[in-house]
Amino acid sequence: MHTLSTLAVASLAAVASAAPAAAPADPLRLTVDTATTYQTIDGFGFSEAFQRANQIINLPEAKRNELVDLLFNVTSGVGFSILRNGIGSSPNSTLDWMNTIEPNAPVGGPSGSPHYIWDGNDSGQFWIAQQAAKYGVKTFYADAWSAPGFMKNNSNDAGGGYLCGTPGRPACADGQDWRRAYAEYLAEYVATYHNAGIDITHLGFLNEPDFTTAYASMLMDGAQSADFIKILHSVLKSHGLEKQVHIACCDATGWATQRNMSNAILADKEAAPLVDVFTSHLYTSKIDSPLPSEGQRAWMSEYADLGGNWSTTWFNANASAYNDTKALAGDGLTWARNLHTGLTTGNLSAFLWWVATQDTATNGNNNEKLILTDLELGTYTVAKRLWAFAQFSRAARPGALRVSVKTTGTDGCLVKGASPLRTIAFHNADGAVSVIAINDGATDVPITVRSRVASAVSAEAWATDSTRDLERVGVTVDAQGDVSTASVPAHGVLSVIVRV
Ligand SMILES: *[C@@H]1O[C@H](CO)[C@@H](O)[C@H](O)[C@H]1NC(C)=O
Ligand SMILES: *[C@@H]1O[C@H](CO)[C@@H](O)[C@H](O)[C@H]1NC(C)=O
Ligand SMILES: *[C@@H]1O[C@H](CO)[C@@H](O)[C@H](O)[C@H]1NC(C)=O
Ligand SMILES: *[C@@H]1O[C@H](CO)[C@@H](O)[C@H](O)[C@H]1NC(C)=O
Ligand SMILES: *[C@@H]1O[C@H](CO)[C@@H](O)[C@H](O)[C@H]1NC(C)=O
Ligand SMILES: *[C@@H]1O[C@H](CO)[C@@H](O)[C@H](O)[C@H]1NC(C)=O
Ligand SMILES: *[C@@H]1O[C@H](CO)[C@@H](O)[C@H](O)[C@H]1NC(C)=O
Ligand SMILES: *[C@@H]1O[C@H](CO)[C@@H](O)[C@H](O)[C@H]1NC(C)=O
Ligand SMILES: *[C@@H]1O[C@H](CO)[C@@H](O)[C@H](O)[C@H]1NC(C)=O
C-alpha cells in the first residue's frame, strides 16, 4: 500500500510556500466520519471571579461594549459559551476575595434561620452573567471556593480548613454540623440568580480542595465529597432545582488528584449517579487519558499560564527551537494544542480558561489573563491565545458531537506518521460539520476537507497565525459538502465549517 512519505509532504509544502498564489497540486485530505462519534461539547469559557469582572465593568462604555462583544459574539468575537462564577465566601470584596451572601452565622447555629444578603453585584459577576445571557450564553457554572468561615473548623473562609460535620474529620466546637446549611446556602445562590433572571446550570461546592491558601479555600477528599453530594442533591431536590442544576465536582488542582476524587465518588453507588460533571484544573498534573466516568462529562474548568510574563505572542520560534517550555507556555499555538489534547486525549466536553481580564499590577503582570486591561487609560490588549479559543469555540458550538476525522493523501491512503497536522472534527447540533487543523510545521499545508454533508450550502474557514486573528480564508464547497482551496498556515490553525 502506498503511503505519503514525509519527504513528499515536505516538498509539496515547500512548493506551496515558495509560490503561495499557485493552487496546491496535491493537498492532504481530511475525511470526516460523522457516524463515529465521541463526547458531546458543552462549550468554552472563562471566569471573571476575584473582582476581575470590574476590569470590564469599569472601562469606558464604548470599550466595555467592544470587549464584551469580543468575548461573547458568535459571529464576530470568540463566542465563549460558558461563564464560571465564584460563589463568594469572604466577609468583603477586595483583591481576590469575593463577598458572601451569608456574612453572619445564623442565631441558633446550623439549624437557625439564615439571613442572606444579595447586593445585586456579586463582585461584578452578575453584570458579566447578564451580558453573557444577552449574547445567548446558556451555561452558567457557579462554583464555591469555600463555605463561609462560621461553617468551618478554622472559622475562616480562607486558609484551608474543613466544613464542620465532614466525616473523617475531628468534630467542631459543640459538635456542630454545617453540611446541610452549606447545601441550603448554595441552593440560595442559585435561587437568587434565578430570581434575577439568570439560570445557573452547573453547581460546584469545591475549588482546589487539595490546596490551602490565603484566599477562599476548603479541604475535602473524594469520599467526603461523595458524602456532601448526597446532601446537596437532596437539598436541591427539596427546592425543585435538581433538574435545572447539574452537580459538578471537584475542581482539583490537577488531573491526577481529580482522577482519585472521581474514583472515590464512583465507588459510592448512591453518590455517583448524582454527579453530572467531573471538573479538573491542570496546575499540578496534566491530561494523560480520560477521567474515569460512568457517563459523567469531563470539564477542564480552570487553567492558565501562571508562571509566564505577560505575552501576546502566537508562536515564539526561538523558544521553540530551544525547547523552552516555560517561554512557550502562554503562546497562542501552545493553547491551540492544549485545547486539542484536552478534547481528544482528555475526552473533555468543556475547556475553561482562568480569568479573561486582569491589570498589570496583579501577580507581577503574568500570563494568567487573556486580556490585559488598563482602567486608567481605559484600554485593553488582547493576547493571541484568545484566538486559539476562538478557533475552537466558533467551530464546536454547545451540543456538538466530536466525530472522527482522518488524514490521507489524495489517493486515500493514510498518512503514516508524516502528517504535520493535529486534527479534530465536530458535528454541530444545527447539522454543520467542522474541522480544526493545527499545523506544527514551518510550512503551509494545503488541505481539502471531505465531509459528505448532505445539503451543504456553504463553507467558511478562518485562520490564526502570527499575523492573523481568526481571519476569513476563501474556500469553495461542492454539492456533496467537500471543501477545497484552503491551507493550514505554518505554525497556525485553520478551522473549516460546512453549513447545511
Ligand atoms: C477580607 O476577607 C478575607 C478573607 O476572609 C480576610 O482575610 C481579609 O482580612 C478581609 N479584608 C478586610 C479588609 O476585611
Ligand atoms: C460592583 O462593585 C464594584 C466595587 O464596588 C464596582 O467597581 C462595580 O462597578 C460594581 N458593579 C456594578 C455593575 O455596579
Ligand atoms: C454580533 O456581531 C454582529 C456583527 O458585528 C452583529 O451584527 C450582532 O448584532 C452582534 N450580536 C450581538 C448579540 O450583539
Ligand atoms: C482545621 O482543619 C485543618 C485541616 O485538618 C487543620 O489543619 C487545622 O488545624 C484545623 N483548625 C482548627 C482551628 O482546628
Ligand atoms: C492517587 O491515588 C493513588 C492510589 O491510592 C496514589 O498512589 C496517588 O498518590 C494518588 N495521587 C494523587 C495525585 O493524589
Ligand atoms: C467520554 O465522556 C463521556 C461523557 O461525556 C462518557 O460517557 C464516555 O464514557 C467517555 N469516554 C471515555 C473513553 O472515557
Ligand atoms: C519574567 O521576567 C523576569 C524579569 O525580567 C525574569 O526574571 C523571568 O525569568 C521571566 N519569566 C519567564 C517565565 O520568562
Ligand atoms: C533564544 O533563546 C535562547 C535560549 O533561551 C537565548 O539564549 C537566546 O538569547 C534567544 N535569542 C533571541 C534572539 O531571543
Ligand atoms: C529540542 O527538541 C527536539 C526534539 O526533542 C530535539 O531534536 C532538539 O535537538 C532540541 N533542541 C535543543 C536546542 O535542545
Side-chain angles (χ1 to χ4, degrees):
M1 173 170 137
H2 174 79
T3 57
L4 196 66
S5 70
T6 314
L7 194 65
V9 175
S11 61
L12 160 176
V15 168
S17 85
D26 200 13
L28 294 180
R29 178 184 289 164
L30 275 44
T31 303
V32 180
D33 172 14
T34 54
T36 305
T37 62
Y38 306 102
Q39 77 272 26
T40 302
I41 300 304
D42 290 320
F44 302 87
F46 61 85
S47 184
E48 281 286 78
F50 285 21
Q51 321 302 325
R52 302 302 188 265
N54 296 328
Q55 294 294 317
I56 301 180
I57 293 167
N58 297 327
L59 281 170
E61 192 180 351
K63 280 285 168 196
R64 180 172 76 202
N65 293 343
E66 191 183 280
L67 182 45
V68 166
D69 199 66
L70 171 65
L71 292 169
F72 295 117
N73 196 309
V74 184
T75 52
S76 64
V78 181
F80 277 121
S81 49
I82 301 179
L83 180 67
R84 174 173 177 249
N85 273 8
I87 302 177
S89 52
S90 302
N92 62 81
S93 264
T94 49
L95 305 171
D96 293 352
W97 292 299
M98 298 176 279
N99 67 296
T100 174
I101 57 169
E102 193 178 3
N104 301 304
V107 177
S111 55
S113 287
H115 179 52
Y116 298 118
I117 300 171
W118 171 238
D119 65 5
N121 183 310
D122 199 20
S123 301
Q125 298 175 110
F126 181 64
W127 187 88
I128 300 290
Q130 287 181 307
Q131 307 315 305
K134 278 186 205 160
Y135 280 89
V137 171
K138 292 190 172 57
T139 305
F140 293 92
Y141 176 29
D143 188 24
W145 268 236
S146 171
F150 63 80
M151 297 187 185
K152 296 169 68 189
N153 83 310
N154 59 340
S155 307
N156 189 343
D157 71 302
Y162 57 84
L163 182 64
C164 290
T166 299
R169 298 281 195 182
C172 292
D174 306 324
Q176 286 189 346
D177 181 348
W178 286 95
R179 290 174 299 166
R180 197 162 183 95
Y182 181 43
E184 288 284 353
Y185 158 91
L186 295 171
E188 175 68 19
Y189 183 92
V190 173
T192 301
Y193 261 70
H194 175 76
N195 293 338
I198 302 289
D199 279 345
I200 303 293
T201 53
H202 294 75
L203 180 63
F205 54 96
L206 296 172
N207 174 74
E208 305 189 348
D210 51 325
F211 181 53
T212 294
T213 182
Y215 50 79
S217 44
M218 182 168 81
L219 304 176
M220 213 180 269
D221 69 17
Q224 292 161 346
S225 303
D227 164 75
F228 186 76
I229 285 161
K230 289 178 272 191
I231 297 169
L232 180 58
H233 187 267
S234 90
V235 166
L236 289 174
K237 202 169 170 189
S238 73
H239 291 280
L241 289 169
E242 84 280 10
K243 292 209 167 61
Q244 176 193 318
V245 178
H246 299 280
I247 295 178
C249 195
C250 312
D251 282 78
T253 57
W255 202 248
T257 312
Q258 182 58 42
R259 175 179 293 124
N260 282 2
M261 294 190 78
S262 292
N263 275 327
I265 291 166
L266 293 177
D268 185 323
K269 293 302 162 202
E270 256 183 84
L274 308 179
V275 184
D276 292 316
V277 184
F278 286 130
T279 50
S280 182
H281 304 179
L282 301 178
Y283 299 110
T284 53
S285 60
K286 307 284 178 275
I287 290 171
D288 51 4
S289 62
L291 286 174
S293 166
E294 288 172 3
Q296 291 85 356
R297 295 194 181 172
W299 284 16
M300 200 302 290
S301 52
E302 181 195 315
Y303 189 35
D305 169 23
L306 298 181
N309 297 320
W310 170 249
S311 156
T312 59
T313 305
W314 174 258
F315 173 68
N316 183 335
N318 184 49
S320 179
Y322 283 88
N323 301 326
D324 183 348
T325 51
K326 272 195 174 166
L328 290 170
D331 279 12
L333 187 60
T334 298
W335 282 90
R337 289 177 184 147
N338 291 345
L339 280 151
H340 182 268
T341 303
L343 293 165
T344 53
T345 311
N347 191 36
L348 293 178
S349 290
F351 195 111
L352 279 61
W353 178 268
W354 167 219
V355 288
T357 61
Q358 197 160 281
D359 58 14
T360 46
T362 305
N363 298 341
N365 196 20
N366 68 358
N367 261 337
E368 72 185 291
K369 66 269 190 189
L370 294 171
I371 295 159
L372 172 65
T373 45
D374 187 326
L375 292 181
E376 256 171 56
L377 295 177
T379 57
Y380 65 86
T381 311
V382 176
K384 292 278 278 187
R385 54 188 172 274
L386 178 93
W387 299 109
F389 279 82
Q391 292 280 156
F392 280 77
S393 175
R394 291 272 293 270
R397 301 301 303 159
L401 276 173
R402 183 165 82 85
V403 296
S404 156
V405 56
K406 66 175 199 248
T407 304
T408 60
T410 34
D411 57 4
C413 294
L414 279 176
V415 179
K416 278 199 187 151
S419 175
L421 304 180
R422 295 166 205 244
T423 58
I424 188 166
F426 302 93
H427 194 181
N428 281 277
D430 66 359
V433 167
S434 60
V435 174
I436 303 164
I438 301 170
N439 184 355
D440 289 324
T443 46
D444 295 358
V445 176
I447 58 166
T448 63
V449 174
R450 168 156 290 192
S451 61
R452 294 292 187 222
V453 181
S455 66
V457 292
S458 64
E460 299 161 33
W462 321 280
T464 298
D465 59 13
S466 288
T467 59
R468 291 177 289 179
D469 300 336
L470 203 75
E471 198 172 289
R472 283 293 278 267
V473 173
V475 290
T476 56
V477 60
D478 70 19
Q480 290 171 306
D482 291 350
V483 181
S484 51
T485 334
S487 237
V488 189
H491 302 303
V493 184
L494 184 78
S495 299
V496 178
I497 179 155
V498 182
R499 302 208 186 271
V500 297

